[in-house]
Amino acid sequence: MSKSAWKKSRHLGFSTLETGDELKKRPYGPGQHGQDRKRKPSEYGVQLLEKQKLRELYGVSERQFRRLFLIAKKEPTVTGLAFFRILESRLDNLVYRMGFSRTRAGARQLVNHGHILVNGKKVDIPSYLCKVNDVISVKGDSPLKVVKEAMESKPSTCGYVKVDDTKFEGTYVREPERNELPQEINESQIIEYYNRKL
């Protein structure tokens, strides 16, 4: 994992790798004055921080993030949950959730390089939004070493994906519930942030 990812996690005070490893040694911001930043952030500052935490967690650009938020606002579901569900349905995220990669960045690479199939067809767009019952598999009879290693590390998969380890294949069986998603994120602050902006 790159040093910049660790720095970002420490700056945000939040594990973007969902392991907590980045914050174990030094649970404060990076840099010379990392421990001295005790000033209480403004309401806008808190909203901005929550947005950055979620954006870094999923590794999405600002432009994509905003576009997905606008899609979520049109959904009949509560906006915060709809936004989470859209982010979770991204192909790179589901490849990560199914355990084919140890990180979302690694999952993005697998998709970019054409190693992932959706319903038997190659999809090389990490931001591709999957639908419930889509089958995601690793291309080829002999999966890549990195995929095998990721699967052998026995990742804990979540209830909304079903994985067949022998076939290197998984199904997005249902949309996630809020209690299955990162609890450290306060999505209402993100909604407030965008309501100010839009």
Side-chain angles (χ1 to χ4, degrees):
M1 180 49 56
S2 69
K3 285 185 180 177
S4 65
W6 286 61
K7 273 189 176 180
K8 281 175 187 169
S9 290
R10 286 174 53 212
H11 170 69
L12 297 169
F14 168 76
S15 173
T16 59
L17 302 178
E18 297 185 276
T19 61
D21 291 345
E22 313 100 301
L23 307 175
K24 278 179 188 169
K25 259 186 160 180
R26 292 177 282 186
Y28 48 82
Q32 189 178 349
H33 304 290
Q35 296 183 73
D36 303 329
R37 295 180 189 142
K38 290 178 183 169
R39 196 174 56 175
K40 194 176 178 187
S42 65
E43 188 184 344
Y44 175 77
V46 171
Q47 292 166 2
L48 179 63
L49 185 67
E50 287 302 307
K51 183 202 67 133
Q52 286 175 319
K53 278 159 65 171
L54 191 61
R55 195 167 73 75
E56 289 295 339
L57 178 67
Y58 287 96
V60 180
S61 73
E62 180 58 43
R63 190 176 168 190
Q64 285 178 317
F65 198 71
R66 183 181 167 131
R67 183 178 67 82
L68 295 177
F69 179 80
L70 290 171
I71 294 170
K73 276 196 88 167
K74 294 174 186 170
E75 293 286 323
T77 316
V78 177
T79 302
L81 178 58
F83 193 28
F84 258 123
R85 283 176 169 173
I86 290 167
L87 288 164
E88 282 290 316
S89 73
R90 281 174 54 104
L91 179 56
D92 57 355
N93 180 73
L94 288 171
V95 167
Y96 164 70
R97 290 292 190 205
M98 289 174 180
F100 301 145
S101 173
R102 290 177 179 170
T103 64
R104 284 188 182 86
R108 258 188 305 283
Q109 271 196 319
L110 286 174
V111 177
N112 273 328
H113 295 166
H115 298 298
I116 300 298
L117 305 176
V118 179
N119 300 326
K121 294 179 182 175
K122 184 177 89 170
V123 177
D124 57 8
I125 303 162
S127 60
Y128 176 85
L129 297 179
C130 297
K131 295 180 177 66
V132 170
N133 295 322
D134 275 353
V135 176
I136 296 162
S137 55
V138 181
K139 188 180 172 189
D141 296 330
S142 102
L144 299 171
K145 187 183 172 192
V146 286
V147 175
K148 287 181 177 174
E149 285 174 354
M151 295 296 283
E152 282 163 9
S153 69
K154 295 291 177 197
S156 55
T157 52
C158 31
Y160 44 95
V161 298
K162 192 176 178 183
V163 181
D164 184 333
D165 295 5
T166 57
K167 292 184 180 174
F168 292 89
E169 179 181 285
T171 307
Y172 180 33
V173 291
R174 63 172 172 80
E175 292 183 317
E177 297 302 330
R178 180 62 187 94
N179 62 2
E180 297 174 293
L181 300 165
Q183 299 301 304
E184 305 93 331
I185 302 285
N186 183 344
E187 62 269 33
S188 63
Q189 296 283 7
I190 300 167
I191 294 164
E192 287 298 318
Y193 172 86
Y194 278 115
N195 284 343
R196 278 176 182 235
K197 294 275 183 186
L198 302 173

